[in-house]
């Protein structure tokens, strides 16, 4: 079965105390948020056969062609999309009348590439496993809302179907805030990586699918801007063991969250659970192992048994240890965050 990965994670900053709504301003032309010098448009060396437009460097291996169209929800909302810039690993798509400057498009492509290569590294996925280019679509806010049904979100990842590719879609005004943008890209591109590794995800819990995405977003945010995902700590600061138990129940095989606040809570608890496994339990390569679990479960193995075998701890024990850790550190946030990306 197919799941559209609602990347509402980052929308949730909106629902939490610290966030500003993302939407509203419309056209991102002239945004000052992008770094880089621009003017790289001519350096189209790695561009792809036949495409004479903008190119940027991304990765080393040769790409594999994919003739499938973009997701139907995306093309229905934005029927006038064109390939705006390309590289070995990433394609950037935008409407033909997009106000984005060439330099903004190529800088965005480079930033997307940086996030993708980061995600591949932390999950220990060879670049060759993503030889079919990842498509990232940038549209104006109203079109984004129409395509995703997730107004206010910073980004959404669509999984592939038999007849359409996977894709990440972002609202153009999201390009103005580079800190949120890098986090969003790492988050959504983690969904693409896990979606390709584990396309049959009906038996994978939401706390895992979103947890690894929240964590890689936080890791890249920490690395580039010294800022992990902001809404996570808003929730984590006030959490105890009951919050973990609620998340494991509500954000399991079915997403039973009812509103953005609940999604934010559950994504925060999920992301920190993965970090707990990595730092507090000491499974240094937990992201690689969890991706392996996802791959095996997608191929038909049972989740609990695969988790126990590949992580070296029974799932029920890991959940109970996490809840106990949150209870034990409820009055000592320094201890709670020590050694984590949220420290
Ligand atoms: Zn997500």
């Amino acid at each position: 079965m197919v799941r559209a990965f609602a990347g509402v994670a980052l929308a949730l900053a909106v629902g939490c105390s610290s966030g500003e709504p993302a939407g509203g301003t419309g056209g991102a032309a002239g945004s000052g948020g992008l770094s880089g010098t621009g003017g790289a448009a001519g350096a189209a060396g790695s561009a792809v056969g036949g495409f004479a437009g903008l190119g940027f460097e991304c990765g080393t291996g040769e790409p594999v062609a994919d003739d499938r169209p973009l997701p139907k929800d995306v093309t229905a909302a934005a029927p006038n999309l064109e390939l705006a810039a390309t590289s070995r690993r990433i394609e950037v798509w935008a409407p033909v009348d997009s106000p984005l400057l060439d330099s903004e498009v190529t800088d965005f492509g480079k930033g997307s590439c940086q996030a993708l290569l980061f995600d591949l590294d932390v999950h220990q996925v060879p670049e060759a496993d993503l030889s079919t280019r990842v498509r990232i679509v940038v549209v104006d806010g109203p079109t984004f809302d129409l395509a995703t049904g997730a107004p206010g979100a910073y980004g959404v990842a669509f999984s592939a179907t038999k007849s359409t590719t996977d894709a990440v879609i972002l609202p153009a005004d999201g390009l103005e805030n580079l800190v949120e943008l890098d986090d969003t890209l790492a988050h959504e591109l983690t969904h693409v990586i896990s979606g390709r590794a584990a396309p049959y995800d009906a038996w994978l819990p939401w706390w895992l699918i979103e947890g690894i995405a929240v964590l890689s977003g936080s890791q890249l945010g920490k690395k580039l801007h010294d800022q992990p995902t902001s809404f996570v700590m808003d929730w984590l600061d006030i959490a105890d063991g009951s919050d973990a138990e609620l998340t494991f129940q509500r954000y399991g095989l079915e997403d039973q969250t009812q509103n953005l606040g609940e999604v934010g809570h559950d994504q925060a608890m999920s992301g920190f659970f993965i970090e707990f496994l990595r730092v507090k339990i000491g499974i240094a390569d937990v992201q690689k192992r969890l991706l392996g679990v996802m791959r095996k479960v997608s191929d038909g193995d049972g989740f609990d048994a695969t988790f126990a075998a590949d992580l070296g701890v029974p799932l029920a024990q890991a959940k109970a240890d996490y809840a106990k850790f949150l209870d034990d550190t409820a009055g000592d946030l320094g201890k709670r965050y020590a050694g984590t990306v949220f420290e």
Side-chain angles (χ1 to χ4, degrees), residues 61-324:
E62 286 307 310
V64 170
D66 187 346
D67 294 332
R68 294 176 297 173
L70 289 160
K72 283 183 179 147
D73 287 347
V74 173
T75 52
N80 60 343
L81 293 172
E82 65 175 1
L83 181 60
T86 191
S87 67
R88 293 176 189 271
R89 296 281 83 83
I90 299 256
E91 292 177 356
V92 180
W93 290 72
V96 293
D97 56 354
S98 167
L100 292 173
L101 306 174
D102 285 357
S103 60
E104 291 176 314
V105 170
T106 50
D107 284 347
F108 173 74
K110 290 176 198 170
S112 302
C113 177
Q114 180 180 35
L116 178 65
L117 296 181
F118 177 85
D119 284 346
L120 291 173
D121 185 52
V122 297
H123 296 93
Q124 298 184 38
V125 174
E127 197 188 303
D129 286 7
L130 243 71
S131 54
T132 304
R133 287 186 200 83
V134 177
R135 293 172 167 177
I136 306 185
V137 180
V138 182
V139 294
D140 63 34
T143 305
F144 174 85
D145 295 350
L146 185 62
T148 64
Y154 290 172
V156 168
F158 287 87
S159 48
T161 70
K162 281 181 184 166
S163 58
T164 58
T165 64
D166 50 15
V168 170
I169 182 168
L170 304 175
D173 55 8
L175 273 59
E176 295 173 22
N177 184 336
L178 195 57
V179 174
E180 292 291 354
L181 177 64
D182 287 328
D183 186 330
T184 300
L185 287 166
H187 180 116
E188 302 304 337
L189 290 167
T190 294
H191 286 320
V192 171
I193 290 170
S194 64
R196 291 196 185 181
Y200 306 107
D201 63 355
W203 301 105
L204 293 171
W206 279 93
W207 59 256
L208 173 57
I209 291 169
E210 292 298 338
I212 62 168
V214 167
L215 182 56
S216 58
S218 283
Q219 288 173 324
L220 184 61
K222 180 78 171 181
K223 178 184 176 185
L224 296 182
H225 309 291
D226 196 29
Q227 186 174 314
T229 310
S230 53
F231 74 82
V232 171
M233 292 181 73
D234 292 345
W235 290 108
L236 249 298
D237 281 354
I238 56 173
D240 62 22
S242 66
D243 291 284
E245 289 159 6
L246 173 61
T247 294
F248 290 131
Q249 176 266 322
R250 188 168 63 189
Y251 220 36
L253 290 180
E254 298 296 328
D255 174 5
Q256 298 176 61
T257 57
Q258 305 271 334
N259 54 57
L260 286 183
E262 292 182 357
V263 176
H265 171 278
D266 289 3
Q267 292 202 353
M269 303 307 299
S270 300
F272 197 61
F273 179 52
I274 312 302
E275 185 66 336
F276 168 81
L277 294 171
R278 189 179 73 88
V279 174
K280 305 296 184 181
I281 302 296
I283 308 172
D285 59 350
V286 67
Q287 288 154 289
K288 174 196 178 188
R289 291 181 193 227
L290 287 171
L291 194 66
V293 169
M294 294 172 84
R295 189 179 286 115
K296 291 177 187 175
V297 171
S298 177
D299 288 343
D301 291 357
F303 182 70
D304 287 23
T306 307
F307 184 99
D310 287 13
L311 276 79
V313 55
L315 177 59
Q317 185 190 327
K319 288 176 171 177
D321 288 351
Y322 181 48
K324 181 171 189 306

